Amino acid sequence: APVAPGITVGFYASGSLVCSAVTTEALDPEECEVVSCLWATPPASEGSSVEVTVVPDDADAYQECKEGNNEATIPTVYCSGIN
């Protein structure tokens, strides 16, 4: 059965929430949706880059049959030229 829109997605750096997003579509099992958020103070250089872990349903609001596939890591995250 699909899960309704409105699932929170957390973006974490070093275990701390840096921003979040919410899904806008109903999702069937094995489906995905592209989400994004604005990080107010990202690292400004490659030398200070961090890994960001993306966690759908980080509020643990929905019961799932596969809880073990809920994270993805984005390596070397930084945003040069904005700070």
Side-chain angles (χ1 to χ4, degrees):
V3 65
I7 297 172
T8 60
V9 181
F11 294 75
Y12 294 84
S14 301
S16 296
L17 182 68
V18 294
C19 60
S20 62
V22 177
T23 61
T24 60
E25 303 173 10
L27 298 171
D28 284 314
E30 305 293 326
E31 285 189 325
C32 60
E33 176 181 346
V34 175
V35 296
S36 63
C37 64
L38 295 176
W39 185 356
T41 56
S45 68
E46 187 172 4
S48 62
S49 68
V50 295
E51 288 188 345
V52 172
T53 302
V54 182
V55 184
D57 190 27
D58 61 333
D60 220 10
Y62 298 93
Q63 183 177 1
E64 303 174 59
C65 58
K66 290 184 180 178
E67 289 286 347
N69 66 350
N70 277 0
E71 292 186 6
T73 301
I74 305 167
T76 321
V77 174
Y78 68 98
C79 193
S80 63
I82 64 161
N83 292 343

